[in-house]
Amino acid sequence: MTPSLTRRSFVGGSTAVALAAGLGGRAVGAAPAVCPAPHPLLTQAGDFYDVSRGNPKPQTLQGEALVKAKLTPETWRCEVVADPFTGEFVKQPASLAKQLTIADGTALDLPMLMKLGEKHRVRFIKAMQCLNIAEPLGQGLWEGVPLREVLRLCGRMTNVRRIYFWGFHNDDPKQLFQSSLSYTEAMETPPGGLPAFLAWRLNGEQLSLLRGGPVRMVIPWAHGFKSIKWLRHIAVTNDYRANDTYAEQNNDPESHLKTAAYIDTSAAKFPAGGPVFMTGRVISGLSGLRRVEYWLRPAAAGAPALRDDDPAWASARWQPCELESAPGDWRGILPAGVSSKDVLGFDPATGRPLSWPLPYSMVSWSVALRDLKPGHYEFRARAVDLNGFAQPEPRPMAKAGKNGLEVQQFEVG
Ligand SMILES: Nc1nc2c(c(=O)[nH]1)N[C@H]1C(S)=C(S)[C@@H](COP(=O)(O)O)O[C@H]1N2
Ligand SMILES: [Mo]
């Protein structure tokens, strides 16, 4: 199964430098006098980098096909069943006191979810990132109800070790894209932690078909492959294996979002004299974020990639970048009617973020490079986490998430 990727057009609050690059390759930029504005904290639903399988892709369905797929708000249904699976180490199958099925008219629908939402609603700002793509996909304010509240509708569970879930896939087993959580991950949340949830709103609006609506799973700590779109099925199972579709493709199925910095594409050439502004985004992953730093060095035009064992790494001079600070006033950033006091990760009394960046969110960084002599340069940026580990430490294995160090070459003069 090969994901097909649609590059979102890079517009809307993007930097002048990046815009020039996006429109015509790496343009020769007039250096802006002030640092370009940071990326907007919330990405519009249509501006996310899309990672979707399916032939046809569910977001292209229309009319009767959409109704048949149960992917309109009125027709949406999600079954919650017990998987009868047994095997060598699985003597007893999982069971639920009550299954929610389409056949007997008890499947989950949107009114049921909204009813649960009256009491258990969660809102959370999360960066979406694919384990296999070295660039954030976007960031949203996701809104829904914890998976555990949905499972509680089914009464007593026995012999449940994992929860599997998958979306609409054209009723073709070859197109199935599923993911899973352990029982504990689905049911229990550490204090101040973030629950797995079923989302039906994004940035204050109904979750669009394009972004996986009417309802998608959102797993706050995980890479995108756990956040199943067009959710239609939840199955509790006694199978202890994380048999995510991604696991079958040589990925670490229990990876968490990594702390990592990403560089915006800059102009290829800057005039001498003015400052050169470099910008980018950084995700605060499992290990949190302490700072972003850069390393600038002269390098020949088109210099080959620096090998991992090159002695230059040892003498690199890493210097601090400026991190976008927490907004003092969240009105105008959050959708109308949403108070930051009601968003997870914020102090419910003051409405201020409890940490910055928020866990599993991304913010912009920037640096002004001054007094550069004419010549060719290489610019690298890296995140340093709360353990003091610099990217790509401590987990440089790409199949647990891409966090290699990015590099940009440019010329001054
Ligand atoms: N049903 C379904 N859900 C899915 C996928 C998919 O192909 N089908 N792709 C997953 C992957 S690998 C990623 S990275 C995210 C991407 O989310 P986005 O398209 O909203 O950016 O969706 C996830 N959810
Ligand atoms: Mo992905």
Side-chain angles (χ1 to χ4, degrees):
M1 229 179 300
T2 319
S4 89
L5 310 173
T6 323
R7 186 68 176 83
R8 67 182 153 70
S9 54
F10 192 38
V11 293
S14 55
T15 67
V17 175
L19 195 60
L23 291 176
R26 301 190 60 208
V28 177
V34 293
C35 185
H39 295 266
L41 275 170
L42 300 183
T43 311
Q44 288 184 22
D47 288 345
F48 276 66
Y49 189 139
D50 188 281
V51 185
S52 303
R53 291 117 186 117
N55 186 17
K57 291 185 186 181
Q59 72 259 42
T60 64
L61 297 179
Q62 288 177 0
E64 202 40 47
L66 204 52
V67 170
K68 242 188 98 218
K70 297 192 169 17
L71 289 178
T72 66
E74 299 72 32
T75 58
W76 180 77
R77 297 289 183 280
C78 179
E79 293 200 308
V80 186
V81 301
D83 177 8
F85 175 82
T86 55
E88 191 186 357
F89 304 110
V90 186
K91 299 298 174 215
Q92 289 137 336
S95 74
L96 287 173
K98 188 177 152 212
Q99 304 194 97
L100 309 181
T101 65
I102 288 170
D104 62 18
T106 54
L108 258 189
D109 59 14
L110 267 179
M112 281 166 82
L113 269 190
M114 287 185 201
K115 186 99 196 41
L116 280 179
E118 287 169 16
K119 236 179 126 180
H120 303 289
R121 181 182 301 252
V122 290
R123 293 189 182 88
F124 179 55
I125 296 174
K126 171 188 166 54
M128 195 59 73
Q129 190 184 30
C130 180
L131 179 149
N132 282 308
I133 299 175
E135 186 188 335
L137 307 180
Q139 175 157 273
L141 173 75
W142 307 90
E143 202 172 317
V145 285
L147 172 58
R148 64 167 168 266
E149 301 304 334
V150 169
L151 293 174
R152 278 188 183 136
L153 297 174
C154 301
R156 194 176 152 75
M157 291 188 233
T158 52
N159 291 307
V160 172
R161 282 189 275 177
R162 289 198 79 80
I163 322 295
Y164 290 165
F165 36 91
W166 61 98
F168 178 75
H169 54 275
N170 298 301
D171 301 321
D172 173 3
K174 285 210 240 33
Q175 297 184 30
L176 172 71
F177 186 83
Q178 77 168 4
S179 195
S180 70
L181 293 175
S182 74
Y183 174 87
T184 303
E185 287 172 319
M187 301 304 287
E188 296 174 34
T189 305
L194 309 158
F197 63 100
L198 282 72
W200 71 86
R201 290 177 82 76
L202 169 61
N203 299 342
E205 285 165 15
Q206 190 173 308
L207 184 64
S208 61
L209 187 64
L210 178 66
R211 280 281 68 69
V215 177
R216 103 185 260 179
M217 196 68 86
V218 171
I219 310 300
W221 58 85
H223 286 106
F225 69 90
K226 293 264 185 205
S227 294
I228 293 292
K229 297 186 277 196
W230 313 295
L231 181 71
R232 289 287 321 277
H233 302 271
I234 298 173
V236 299
T237 181
N238 199 12
D239 193 346
Y240 53 89
R241 294 167 296 184
N243 78 348
D244 294 37
T245 303
Y246 251 41
E248 294 162 6
Q249 296 165 5
N250 195 24
N251 301 298
D252 169 6
E254 302 295 17
S255 60
H256 285 231
L257 280 189
K258 286 174 184 295
T259 293
Y262 301 89
I263 308 174
D264 294 331
T265 305
S266 76
K269 192 167 177 182
F270 296 91
V276 170
F277 291 106
M278 296 297 282
T279 58
R281 292 173 293 176
V282 59
I283 292 183
S284 179
L286 176 63
S287 55
L289 178 74
R290 181 165 293 159
R291 63 178 181 273
V292 175
E293 39 187 45
Y294 74 93
W295 172 30
L296 182 74
R297 65 179 211 130
L306 206 55
R307 290 166 47 124
D308 286 351
D309 59 358
D310 194 297
W313 289 108
S315 57
R317 245 184 89 224
W318 292 93
Q319 295 174 275
C321 296
E322 193 88 35
L323 209 59
E324 176 184 10
S325 51
D329 186 352
W330 284 82
R331 286 168 302 181
I333 294 173
L334 296 176
V338 178
S339 160
S340 62
K341 294 177 181 175
D342 299 327
V343 180
L344 290 175
F346 288 76
D347 183 331
T350 65
R352 292 210 192 92
L354 293 164
S355 56
W356 190 258
L358 292 156
Y360 303 114
S361 79
M362 74 180 156
V363 297
S364 300
W365 58 262
S366 62
V367 63
L369 307 170
R370 297 183 195 278
D371 306 321
L372 297 184
K373 294 197 180 69
H376 291 269
Y377 292 89
E378 272 184 1
F379 176 92
R380 289 179 173 78
R382 69 180 187 185
V384 178
D385 73 13
L386 291 176
N387 299 308
F389 284 118
Q391 183 186 343
E393 295 260 55
R395 297 176 302 170
M397 204 274 293
K399 297 308 269 180
K402 286 217 162 53
N403 67 335
L405 280 195
E406 294 191 344
V407 59
Q408 291 269 311
Q409 300 184 338
F410 63 85
E411 184 186 356
V412 172

